[in-house]
Amino acid sequence: GRVLAGLDLDRGRRSLHAPTLLLAGTDDRLTPLAHARRMAHLLPDCRGLLELPDTGHMTPLETPRALAQALEELAETHLAPRPRHEETA
């Protein structure tokens, strides 16, 4: 708790310019939703905050499908498609 109380959310976020999606568990007692909401507001290119109900601090382990789906959608939306190389005979 003492570490999180002094956590500087502003320092590193200035250099993060990639499209970002935050996932947060509604039942996370270590990093409450207020932190995620503040980070979403501060990030230069935040594409949203996905609040996962009945999920705690270990969101990726508790809801791996929700994480995978969110990452897939973010990648599909923000990564340039790779050009297809046509096969030559």
Side-chain angles (χ1 to χ4, degrees), residues 27-47:
D27 294 346
D28 188 340
R29 293 182 296 164
L30 296 175
T31 51
L33 283 174
H35 287 278
R37 290 176 182 145
R38 182 166 179 240
M39 286 175 55
H41 179 73
L42 294 173
L43 287 168
D45 194 6
C46 184
R47 300 304 171 113

Side-chain angles (χ1 to χ4, degrees), residues 62-82:
E62 294 176 59
T63 57
R65 287 187 178 157
L67 173 63
Q69 182 177 354
L71 289 173
E72 184 177 325
E73 290 172 7
L74 186 66
E76 286 176 356
T77 305
H78 300 289
L79 292 179
R82 292 183 181 179

